[in-house]
Each structure stands twice: as C-alpha cells, then as structure tokens.
Amino acid sequence: MKREILIRHVAKTTRDMWDRGWAEANGGNVSLRLNEEQNAAVVGLQGQSEWIPLSVAAPTLQGERFIFTGTGRYLRNVELAPERNIGIIELNLCGTAFRILWGFESNGRPTSELAAHLLSHATIKESTNNYAHAVIHTHTPSLIALTYAFADLSTSNLTSLLWRMHAECVVVFPRGIEFLPWMMAGSNTLAHATADALRTRTLVVWEHHGIVGTGRNLDEAFGRIYVAEKAAEIYLACAAAGGVKKALTDDQLQAIADNFKCNWEKSLLAGWPGGA
Ligand code: 13P
Ligand code: ZN
C-alpha cells in the first residue's frame, strides 16, 4: 500500500466529520493502528523526533505504529496539508514513549486525547482479538444535546432511547453505548474510563463533550458514530414536533436482533430518560 492511500483514507474521514458538523475548529481527533499492509507503506521512515514519554503506559502496543491527527489542527484542513495536520508515530518497545516518523510539521504533536486513543487501542486490540484498528473522537451535536436535555442519562436509558428511535441501532451497536459522566478533556481519568468501557462497547458518549467510536477501520468507526448520532437527531426532531408518540418496542427490537443474528445486550433495556 502507498502512503498516499493511507493519508487519503484519513483525509476522507476527517473531511466527512467536518461536513457533518462534528469537527468545529480543532474539535475531534482520529487514530488508526497500522495493520500489516499499512505498515508496508511506512517502512524506511526514520524517527523525526526524540522519544517522547507518554502520560500512560500501553505495553501491549509496544512497537506499534499509528496515524494520528495533530493537536490544535483543524480536521477540515487534513486534505489540504496532510503533512502538517496529521502524522505517523511509533511506540517504543515498552509502550511508554513515542516518536514521530512522519508529519506534524512544524513542531506539531499528536492530539491532546493521545492517552484516550492509545488506551482505547490497547483495549480493543485485546477485546476484539486484533480486529479493531480505528478510534474516532468527535463532537456530534445531537448526542451532546441529549447530555444537556436529561439530568438522569445512563448507559441503559441512553442505549434504550437510541435503539428505540432508529432500527439500525440494535444491529450496529448491539452491545450498547456507554455513557460517561463529565470528565476533563485530555485527562488520564477520562482515558482510563473510556478504555474500560470499550471492553464491552464499541461507542462511548462523553457527557457535555462528544463521543468515541471504534471499529475495524475508520469507515466502521465512523459508521457506528453516524448511526448513533442519527438516532439522536430523530429523537430531537420528534421532541421538537411535540414528543415521541410511538417508538420501536422491545418485541420489535428482539425481532430485529433475531433477524440480523445480533448478540444484543437486552439487559440494557430501560425506560426513557427523564422518566417519561
Ligand atoms: P485536539 O486538537 O488536541 O485533538 O483536541 C480536540 C478535542 O476534541 C479534545 O477533546
Ligand atoms: Zn473533544
């Protein structure tokens, strides 16, 4: 695989995030753990920086290479100047430091959510048996709005709401969506909580902030986020039109799960947030 193809894959995703209104200013960040084919696109690259210590250790990611968006960079600009807005990094053999192999010109660094991305990669590498390689964090307005609209949001009532408002949801995220209470952006606390949640989920909502989505590649991670965000949009459109008058029932959700052979976490079914 040529490096340009890898860069185009990232640029397409970041452009889509901008187009959807999920990546205002420098909001959102993307990372991809390079697979064998993608690693072939970066062989021969020499370290462009010293080893830079990580704020968290990720020993199971020792020696792995990643493509990351840069901190403070606008995702809409990746396609215009990839060498400035994204970069390729490599972890050391202890998973405690990284160095830049390409990009992040000039004097740039990977996203401030580096710890959340790396700990998430460590979790999903193990929990999906090396299947999942992509992590996207973005600021999806409708999901964020739900975290302001309800005071009692939880993993179960948020999952139930989304499953009930859009028939794709139970198929696309049958293990539910985690709701994490507000924590400081870029903190190790948020990073650890997110990675823990990803042991069972593919999506994690950060209260009053955004979402993290994971998948085999950026398309799958993006698609999962998009489906959840669309369900939230449908819910808010109904609320604006006078409220939800009917929604997918438990039996209908079970029928969809059976039809598509989804191993859904039915125990998450709960009432609506807000007690309605
Ligand atoms: P970065 O510019 O450091 O990627 O931060 C954006 C963001 O969304 C933080 O949560
Ligand atoms: Zn953010």
Side-chain angles (χ1 to χ4, degrees):
M1 176 190 267
K2 288 211 171 75
R3 201 182 318 155
E4 290 71 35
I5 298 174
L6 181 59
I7 292 168
R8 230 183 296 142
H9 181 49
V10 176
K12 168 83 170 81
T13 304
T14 55
R15 173 62 195 258
D16 285 345
M17 290 161 72
W18 161 257
D19 284 344
R20 303 243 64 77
W22 300 354
E24 76 289 351
N26 65 308
N29 26 76
V30 165
S31 67
L32 190 63
R33 182 168 61 87
L34 302 193
N35 63 24
E36 211 171 308
E37 193 191 2
Q38 292 158 343
N39 258 305
V42 304
V43 283
L45 290 177
Q46 304 295 319
Q48 301 294 311
S49 72
E50 298 300 306
W51 289 105
I52 302 163
L54 292 166
S55 64
V56 291
T60 57
L61 299 178
Q62 53 161 351
E64 296 256 20
R65 298 195 183 104
F66 300 82
I67 193 158
F68 260 95
T69 53
T71 185
R73 304 301 201 219
Y74 286 29
L75 298 192
R76 66 192 287 257
N77 290 336
V78 171
E79 63 185 347
L80 301 176
E83 67 288 347
R84 183 176 151 73
N85 294 293
I86 60 177
I88 295 170
I89 65 165
E90 174 177 70
L91 296 204
N92 67 0
L93 293 182
C94 305
T96 53
F98 74 93
R99 64 178 176 176
I100 295 168
L101 296 180
W102 173 86
F104 299 129
E105 294 177 6
S106 322
N107 291 323
R109 284 284 169 94
T111 172
S112 57
E113 303 289 2
L114 181 63
H117 280 259
L118 288 178
L119 292 184
S120 296
H121 278 292
T123 298
I124 63 177
K125 180 181 177 184
E126 189 191 336
S127 66
T128 69
N129 202 14
N130 204 24
Y131 167 86
H133 280 68
V135 175
I136 296 176
H137 160 60
T138 191
H139 299 172
T140 39
S142 297
L143 284 164
I144 296 169
L146 293 184
T147 75
Y148 290 99
F150 297 108
D152 63 342
L153 220 50
S154 65
T155 295
S156 53
N157 66 21
L158 175 61
T159 297
S160 303
L161 181 152
L162 299 175
W163 279 350
R164 288 185 171 123
M165 292 308 302
H166 187 26
E168 294 297 304
C169 287
V170 74
V171 181
V172 171
F173 50 96
R175 310 305 298 167
I177 185 166
E178 187 82 8
F179 172 76
L180 287 183
W182 185 87
M183 286 172 238
M184 182 55 74
S187 66
N188 287 352
T189 320
L190 179 58
H192 281 289
T194 303
D196 282 351
L198 289 170
R199 278 184 226 289
T200 46
R201 323 268 181 237
T202 51
L203 294 168
V204 181
V205 163
W206 291 351
E207 186 179 31
H208 309 330
H209 182 161
I211 187 167
V212 170
T214 62
R216 183 168 69 87
N217 51 28
L218 293 174
D219 285 341
E220 188 172 67
F222 184 92
R224 283 174 172 159
I225 294 172
Y226 199 167
V227 169
E229 172 68 358
K230 190 161 197 175
E233 284 171 16
I234 294 167
Y235 175 82
L236 294 175
C238 290
V244 175
K245 301 297 189 291
K246 59 188 294 200
L248 287 162
T249 64
D250 295 6
D251 287 348
Q252 286 168 334
L253 290 171
Q254 182 68 62
I256 296 169
D258 289 346
N259 187 57
F260 292 96
K261 298 184 175 40
C262 301
N263 177 22
W264 69 313
E265 200 173 324
K266 193 176 179 181
S267 63
L268 286 175
L269 276 180
W272 295 87

